[in-house]
């Protein structure tokens, strides 16, 4: 039996962080996994609920949440619709949100730490947290970026500074989504703090790097970069997998696609090997 409990917290700039915790009510001592979504992502995207259920069936509590500036509102949890809030996001705001979630979850559940799973941009944030937050007990990254500035083109920066805004195309919704120049300013002001590869070298907890070899968003060489930065990490290749391991949104099936199932299996095996 899998139970899901909804919650909300106050995040960056007073905006709400909406989340849910999936667990087995008959086993209150299961270790905690926190999932960190990526750019243009959110906790109810694709097969995230199925992943949560699968982890619970295999002995874990699974927490996922929307960043306060994800642009996803309570009344419409399955799409980014609040473009003004989305545009106003920064990496520092997401780091603050992740701190809030980890601190609240570990205190509320009375655990001494959590296992982080970060996808794409969420992988980069999770690497930073793993290098700095003693409450993070292990790190799993799925299709992680190695540099936040890889999320835009260098040649966009001059126009971005001049106009105060750029647009990023969402292939799924066919929308152009706005990003304010505060994102660029935040990255440039905090480059040292937000240096993913530098943080990767300082990760001293068990770390599994998962990457598809047909990912057009984040090439396999990025995973190799991360693995080379931290030789103690373990790199697993998912053959033929794209950036989201065969999932689409909305996801209509009640079973995980084969590649994402493989990702979950490898992740659970890694956790079992290191912590059981």
């Amino acid at each position: 039996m899998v139970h899901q409990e909804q919650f909300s917290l106050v995040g960056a700039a007073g905006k709400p962080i909406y989340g849910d915790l999936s667990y087995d009510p008959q086993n209150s001592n299961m270790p905690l996994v926190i999932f960190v979504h990526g750019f243009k992502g959110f906790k109810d995207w694709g097969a995230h609920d199925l992943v949560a259920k699968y982890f619970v069936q295999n002995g874990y509590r699974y927490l996922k949440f929307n960043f306060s500036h994800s642009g996803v509102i309570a009344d419409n949890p399955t799409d980014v619709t609040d473009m003004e809030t989305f545009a106003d996001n920064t990496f520092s705001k997401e780091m603050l949100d992740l701190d809030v979630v980890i601190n609240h979850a570990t205190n509320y559940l009375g655990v001494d730490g959590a296992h982080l799973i970060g996808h794409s941009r969420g992988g980069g944030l999770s690497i930073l947290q793993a290098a700095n937050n003693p409450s993070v007990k292990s790190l799993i990254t799925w299709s992680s970026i190695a540099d936040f500035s890889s999320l835009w083109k260098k040649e966009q920066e001059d126009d971005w500074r001049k106009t105060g805004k750029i647009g990023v195309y969402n292939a799924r919704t066919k929308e152009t989504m706005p990003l304010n120049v505060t994102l660029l300013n935040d990255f440039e002001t905090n480059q040292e703090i937000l240096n993913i590869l530098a943080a990767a070298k300082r990760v001293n907890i068990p770390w599994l790097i998962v990457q598809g070899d047909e990912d057009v968003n984040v090439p396999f060489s990025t995973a190799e970069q991360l693995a080379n930065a931290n030789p103690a990490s373990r790199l697993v290749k998912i053959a033929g997998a794209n950036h989201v391991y065969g999932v689409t949104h909305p996801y209509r099936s009640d079973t995980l696609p084969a590649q994402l199932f493989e990702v979950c299996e490898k992740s659970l095996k890694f956790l079992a090997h290191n912590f059981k």
Side-chain angles (χ1 to χ4, degrees), residues 24-46:
D24 179 350
Q26 298 190 337
N27 185 353
S28 60
N29 294 314
M30 299 192 297
L32 174 66
V33 171
I34 296 177
F35 175 74
V36 187
H37 73 74
F39 183 47
K40 294 182 284 188
F42 40 92
K43 71 180 181 69
D44 295 302
W45 189 93

Side-chain angles (χ1 to χ4, degrees), residues 22 30 33 47-48 58 70 84 97 100 107 132 137 140 150 174 184 192 207 215 219 228 235 257 260 272 275:
S22 298
M30 299 192 297
V33 171
H48 288 336
N58 282 276
S70 64
E84 189 177 334
D97 286 349
V100 166
N107 289 332
N132 295 296
K137 299 305 176 189
I140 301 172
S150 65
K174 310 292 187 267
L184 178 61
E192 200 172 311
W207 179 9
D215 187 338
N228 289 336
L235 173 57
L260 184 57
F275 296 96

Side-chain angles (χ1 to χ4, degrees), residues 117-221:
I117 298 179
H119 176 251
S120 192
R121 174 159 138 180
L125 295 162
S126 297
I127 292 166
L128 294 179
Q129 281 287 339
N132 295 296
N133 190 334
S135 293
V136 181
K137 299 305 176 189
S138 77
L139 173 64
I140 301 172
T141 52
W142 297 348
S143 316
S144 179
I145 61 171
D147 181 348
F148 288 117
S149 67
S150 65
L151 296 166
W152 61 83
K153 295 181 175 67
K154 185 74 180 169
E155 57 266 28
Q156 290 179 289
E157 291 180 3
D158 284 344
D159 276 348
W160 204 356
R161 290 187 189 94
K162 283 175 195 165
T163 63
K165 193 169 285 192
I166 57 167
V168 290
Y169 183 65
N170 187 328
R172 178 177 63 83
T173 62
K174 310 292 187 267
E175 290 175 291
T176 298
M177 305 169 78
L179 293 175
N180 293 339
V181 75
T182 45
L183 181 73
L184 178 61
N185 293 342
D186 175 65
F187 176 70
E188 291 180 335
T189 302
N190 299 294
Q191 271 195 58
E192 200 172 311
I193 297 168
L194 297 171
N195 186 324
I196 297 169
L197 282 174
K201 292 174 183 175
R202 294 187 286 110
V203 172
N204 62 359
I205 54 175
W207 179 9
L208 178 69
I209 301 168
V210 181
Q211 181 71 41
D213 64 359
E214 290 189 15
D215 187 338
V216 298
N217 301 88
V218 177
F220 191 80
S221 58

